[in-house]
Amino acid sequence: MSKEELESIKNHLSKPPGVLGKEEYFNSAVIMPLVMNNDELCFLFEKRAEHIRQGGEICFPGGEFDLDQDSDPVETAVRETIEEIGIEKSKINVLGRFDTFVGPTGVTVDPVVALLDIDNLASLNIDHNEVEKVFLVPVSFFFKNEPKIFHIRVEAKPYYINEKGEMVVLLPVKKLNLPERYLKPWIEKNQPVYVYETDDGVVWGITAVLIKSFVKKFGDVLF
């Protein structure tokens, strides 16, 4: 290998490393919105409108990465936040990217931490087609209250049973002459589900994972 080829490989390596195979996932980005309210740092949350996907759930503003519109996850998160809660772009102060979350169900989430300049939530022009309401919870709440931990069962298997009760083979183990152990589920594990109970509702799932990670990373800095 020549020196030039070696340098070319080095230059094409991501700095920092990315997520291998990310294009195979449903890629999304959210803003973890920080708001100062009465001299207290708060997270801003949305409650999703009932009629949309995952309706009624509490989350951060965000959505799917759009290759035609967005050059990176920051643009996705900012664009979706503007669309959902009606804030002006000039009032979104992006502080930086947080660690990428890779979920067991084939989704990635790139969180972006930002400070929003909001004097009053009533001043927001919320898109009620997507968002039922927004509310604030002091960041200190999540430092003082550990999440409850539940679990879901995650399996890797080469088939599924459709609504007609028929087996649909996704990975033809015998045809490919793979070891017989892959005819049955070969990964079966309990995946933790974190739950925070607030006065405005339950914060759980990926949103709770992001908060828990934020608490772990910035606890010594903020409190």
Side-chain angles (χ1 to χ4, degrees), residues 171-183:
L171 180 67
V173 173
K174 288 185 177 181
K175 184 177 180 180
L176 294 172
N177 199 29
L178 298 177
E180 286 192 6
R181 65 178 178 272
Y182 295 116
L183 287 168

Side-chain angles (χ1 to χ4, degrees), residues 105-119:
T105 56
V107 61
T108 72
V109 180
D110 284 296
V112 178
V113 181
L115 184 65
L116 307 189
D117 181 11
I118 299 175
D119 294 327

Side-chain angles (χ1 to χ4, degrees), residues 35 37 44 85-87 91 117-128 132-136:
V35 177
N37 182 52
L44 180 143
I85 68 172
I87 189 172
K91 294 187 176 182
D117 181 11
I118 299 175
D119 294 327
N120 191 324
L121 294 183
S123 66
L124 296 174
N125 185 24
I126 296 170
D127 180 0
H128 288 289
E132 179 182 317
K133 67 174 183 177
V134 296
F135 60 92
L136 302 176

Side-chain angles (χ1 to χ4, degrees), residues 77-201:
V78 170
R79 173 178 56 78
E80 290 282 351
T81 299
I82 292 170
E83 292 175 3
E84 291 173 11
I85 68 172
I87 189 172
E88 297 174 17
K89 187 175 183 179
S90 61
K91 294 187 176 182
I92 302 175
N93 178 19
V94 173
L95 304 180
R97 300 233 339 235
F98 198 35
D99 299 329
T100 299
F101 171 80
V102 181
T105 56
V107 61
T108 72
V109 180
D110 284 296
V112 178
V113 181
L115 184 65
L116 307 189
D117 181 11
I118 299 175
D119 294 327
N120 191 324
L121 294 183
S123 66
L124 296 174
N125 185 24
I126 296 170
D127 180 0
H128 288 289
N129 288 320
E130 293 193 50
V131 180
E132 179 182 317
K133 67 174 183 177
V134 296
F135 60 92
L136 302 176
V137 178
V139 174
S140 60
F141 171 87
F142 300 100
F143 285 86
K144 295 174 183 176
N145 296 277
E146 288 286 332
K148 294 181 179 179
I149 303 177
F150 301 92
H151 293 86
I152 57 172
R153 191 71 168 171
V154 178
E155 294 183 347
K157 56 186 181 182
Y159 64 88
Y160 70 94
I161 306 300
N162 66 19
E163 57 188 17
K164 297 179 180 179
E166 302 166 336
M167 177 184 287
V168 179
V169 176
L170 302 172
L171 180 67
V173 173
K174 288 185 177 181
K175 184 177 180 180
L176 294 172
N177 199 29
L178 298 177
E180 286 192 6
R181 65 178 178 272
Y182 295 116
L183 287 168
K184 300 178 181 179
W186 63 85
I187 295 177
E188 296 179 277
K189 68 171 186 174
N190 290 338
Q191 181 76 19
V193 176
Y194 301 109
V195 174
Y196 293 97
E197 295 181 287
T198 77
D199 290 341
D200 289 277

